[in-house]
Structure formats: structure tokens, C-alpha cells
Amino acid sequence: IQERVVTPVGGRPQKIDVRIIAATHRDLEQWVKQGRFREDLFYRLNVVPIELQPLRKRATDIAPLAEHFLALASSPKKQLSDDAMKRLVDHAWPGNVRELENAMERAAVMCRSDIVTAIDLSFLTAAPSDDTDGSGNRGDLSTAVENLERRMIAEALTESKGNRAEAARRLGIHRQLLHTKAEKYGLGKRDNAD
């Protein structure tokens, strides 16, 4: 990489003029510290780092990417219905863009109509309701805040073995507010929880 020379198998060294783009979902800086990745290679690759959020956190990118991949995979060109687009946005996309590309290819092959509907995408599931990454990024802001609040209160109550005074202390809120919120979300019983 540094010398910009490659040697083909059975050939002679050749000068090259290229840019190398490398991608990973690993924390290479942490791996270097742990001795799991070569430090010299890391610094040769780490010229212009670009951190890209997972697809589930970039809902506005799903529609244009899906339409692009569907257009590439279908002839004649197929279209996505509104309910299909909603199903795509509601999916968690653990496989990120590669999973979306494969889903559009599958839809292009399996759908006999010119319009891909939600039924044609029934192999996709909605995002998990517990929002595994903790961002609460599904639905509107108030719903996201409620989901996060409910999860945090449930975790605090679990960690404190149901002791609401301790859970409130861990959350940095007053005990009475915790009582109100816990009742609102149906978390635990009031009897001897303090």
C-alpha cells in the first residue's frame, strides 16, 4: 500500500495509482489497542475515516436505495407501493444495505405484478419492539421518548430488585415520579416495593 506497487502471482512488480476504500463494522482502533489488528495497517488505511450509521438509523435513505436496487433487479421496471415502502421503513435491517439489496432482488424475482406490495415483502419483519439499540427511533418523538423511558424504568427496577427508592436514585428522579411513571407503564406493584 505504502509503496504503491503490486506483484501479480507469477508476474513482475507493477506501479499502481489507486485509492483504497476499506469498510468494517469493527472498532479497529480498539482492536489495535488489544493487539488484534496491525497498527501499521490501521494507520495506512485510516486516512479519511467516514463513520456511517446503520441503515435502521437512516430511515430517509431506505426509500431511494430500495427504488434503486429494485430498478437494477427488475425488467421491466417495478415500483413499490406505499404499504411496501412502510414495511421497508419498519424493518430493522440487521444486514444493512446488503440485506436491502437482496430483499429488492427477491421482490423483483418473486413479484409477478409491476407493483411490489407489502404482501410481496412478507418475509421482512417489523423492527423489534424493544428497540435493541436503545435509540427509540421508531414512530414520532413522544412515542420514542415513552419507549426509552419505559425501558429505563424497567431496567432500574430489575437492577434494584423492585426497590423503587433505589430505582429512583439510580435514575436521578424523585421516588414519587417513579411511582407515577411505573404505574403509567404497568411496571411492578406498589406493595412493599420500597
Side-chain angles (χ1 to χ4, degrees):
I1 293 173
Q2 183 173 320
E3 303 304 323
R4 297 177 182 257
V5 174
V6 295
T7 306
V9 176
R12 297 182 179 170
Q14 298 176 358
K15 286 251 183 214
I16 56 170
D17 183 16
V18 297
R19 290 181 194 262
I20 296 175
I21 299 173
T24 183
H25 64 283
R26 307 280 188 213
D27 183 351
L28 292 184
E29 199 167 355
Q30 188 63 33
W31 276 29
V32 167
K33 290 176 185 171
Q34 296 171 351
R36 297 175 68 190
F37 193 84
R38 284 181 38 192
E39 186 175 23
D40 62 324
L41 180 57
F42 172 74
Y43 288 114
R44 284 185 176 97
L45 292 174
N46 195 32
V47 177
V48 181
I50 300 170
E51 195 167 317
L52 193 60
Q53 295 286 341
L55 187 58
R56 70 182 166 274
K57 291 187 176 182
R58 296 180 288 126
T60 56
D61 290 350
I62 293 172
L65 285 170
E67 289 168 347
H68 171 73
F69 291 138
L70 186 61
L72 289 177
S74 62
S75 182
K77 303 298 182 212
K78 297 186 180 196
Q79 306 248 324
L80 290 161
S81 69
D82 290 342
D83 65 331
M85 195 61 74
K86 181 176 180 344
R87 180 163 295 219
L88 291 173
V89 170
D90 287 345
H91 185 65
W93 299 111
N96 285 311
V97 176
R98 287 185 195 98
E99 182 186 4
L100 176 60
E101 183 177 12
N102 290 342
M104 292 301 90
E105 189 172 337
R106 180 175 174 174
V109 170
M110 302 304 284
C111 178
R112 300 204 179 259
S113 164
D114 290 340
I115 306 293
V116 176
T117 66
I119 294 169
D120 300 312
L121 300 174
S122 59
F123 57 91
L124 297 176
T125 57
S129 59
D130 66 349
D131 191 19
T132 54
D133 67 0
S135 66
N137 63 352
R138 296 286 181 239
D140 60 13
L141 181 60
S142 62
T143 303
V145 169
E146 281 188 10
N147 289 340
L148 178 60
E149 190 174 66
R150 179 184 297 115
R151 186 178 57 78
M152 288 181 71
I153 290 171
E155 286 177 4
L157 285 168
T158 300
E159 290 169 3
S160 65
K161 297 181 174 59
N163 183 318
R164 290 190 180 190
E166 172 64 17
R169 188 190 64 72
R170 288 174 184 239
L171 292 168
I173 61 175
H174 292 295
R175 190 178 62 177
Q176 189 54 46
L177 179 59
L178 178 71
H179 282 298
T180 304
K181 298 282 187 184
E183 286 180 11
K184 174 183 176 183
Y185 299 129
L187 300 171
K189 305 268 188 250
R190 284 190 71 118
D191 53 348
N192 43 0
D194 294 321

